Amino acid sequence: MNSLPQGYRALVIGATGAIGSALLAHLQADPRCALAVGLGRHTTPVVDLDDEATIAHAAQQLKTRGPWHCVIHAAGMLHGPHGMPEKRLGQLNYAQMEATFRTNTFGPALVLAHFAPLLPKQERSILAVLSAKVGSIGDNRLGGWYSYRASKAALNMLIKTASIEVARTHPLAVLAALHPGTVDSALSAPFNGADIGRAAGDAAADLLRVLDGLAADAGGGFYGYDGQALPW
């Protein structure tokens, strides 16, 4: 990632997932990276998206080790204890909608709130979240997957809005939402992810390449793993 300064520091939140762990490995292997740290429910400090206090505490703990030039939020949920993605309106229920939004929208929103201040104010920096193309309202042609689509669409709005605010104090920062494509992971496994998805390492390399190529005025955008801007 040549656009970041020599000795840059990086954080990956959700570093135990397939894409998160691959992103962390790529960053740790970059000779220009002085420090790359993965965060999650079983790290020190802990980041649990269901517990706002852990997000705030982790940011406070890591502040003294910064500034952090690259922060990537890679956690997400498509299915879980409350069931698979809803295909019909009749399948909507509070428990699944709340769980999906807590992981895909509310948690990342708090990450933005607590970790954006850790970016350097006068150096190139990146703060990215993993979104999904199915969160595009303009590209929605098949319907279904109600909670997941809506949670990612809301996440896209959050990153766009945050980019406007952060630019006022961090003019060289780039905030972006990223679509990683279908990756062979636990998230995609029930949908033949192993057959149709790419290796997590390949996806991570593509995403970092996209971030590397984004200019400062591209902040707040929604981009695919191939670098193409995606419709809202």
Side-chain angles (χ1 to χ4, degrees), residues 84-145:
M84 302 298 287
E86 315 96 336
K87 295 181 179 179
R88 303 184 305 277
L89 282 169
Q91 295 176 331
L92 290 172
N93 63 87
Y94 262 116
Q96 184 165 352
M97 287 189 290
E98 182 177 14
T100 303
F101 269 80
R102 284 177 73 89
T103 299
N104 293 344
T105 310
F106 305 153
L110 294 172
V111 167
L112 290 173
H114 291 290
F115 281 84
L118 274 57
L119 300 173
K121 289 191 174 182
Q122 298 300 329
E123 291 181 285
R124 160 83 167 180
S125 62
I126 294 166
L127 199 169
V129 297
L130 291 195
S131 184
K133 191 176 181 180
V134 295
S136 166
I137 296 173
D139 189 65
N140 185 354
R141 298 179 179 86
L142 298 177
W145 289 25

Side-chain angles (χ1 to χ4, degrees), residues 38-231:
L39 298 173
R41 289 180 174 176
H42 305 292
T43 60
T44 302
V46 172
V47 170
D48 183 345
L49 299 183
D50 286 326
D51 186 346
E52 180 181 358
T54 68
I55 301 172
H57 178 72
Q60 186 62 37
Q61 288 284 101
L62 291 164
K63 182 178 180 179
T64 58
R65 301 173 68 184
W68 297 91
H69 302 83
C70 179
V71 179
I72 304 177
H73 181 87
M77 186 186 85
L78 175 57
H79 50 84
H82 299 290
M84 302 298 287
E86 315 96 336
K87 295 181 179 179
R88 303 184 305 277
L89 282 169
Q91 295 176 331
L92 290 172
N93 63 87
Y94 262 116
Q96 184 165 352
M97 287 189 290
E98 182 177 14
T100 303
F101 269 80
R102 284 177 73 89
T103 299
N104 293 344
T105 310
F106 305 153
L110 294 172
V111 167
L112 290 173
H114 291 290
F115 281 84
L118 274 57
L119 300 173
K121 289 191 174 182
Q122 298 300 329
E123 291 181 285
R124 160 83 167 180
S125 62
I126 294 166
L127 199 169
V129 297
L130 291 195
S131 184
K133 191 176 181 180
V134 295
S136 166
I137 296 173
D139 189 65
N140 185 354
R141 298 179 179 86
L142 298 177
W145 289 25
Y146 282 88
S147 296
Y148 187 72
R149 286 184 184 274
S151 67
K152 292 297 189 177
L155 176 62
N156 291 346
M157 176 59 84
L158 286 166
I159 200 76
K160 173 63 177 179
T161 306
S163 72
I164 295 170
E165 177 179 348
V166 171
R168 296 171 184 150
T169 53
H170 299 70
L172 300 181
V174 176
L175 277 65
L178 300 174
H179 166 59
T182 302
V183 176
D184 182 8
S185 67
L187 183 145
S188 66
F191 310 97
N192 297 319
D195 298 326
I196 63 175
R198 297 175 300 138
D202 294 340
D206 288 340
L207 295 173
L208 291 174
R209 192 176 303 113
V210 170
L211 291 175
D212 187 43
L214 294 179
D217 60 3
F222 180 24
Y223 303 96
Y225 62 88
D226 57 359
Q228 296 298 309
L230 297 174

Side-chain angles (χ1 to χ4, degrees), residues 5-24:
Q6 179 71 36
Y8 74 87
R9 296 173 175 84
L11 291 171
V12 178
I13 299 164
T16 59
I19 300 178
S21 60
L23 286 166
L24 182 61

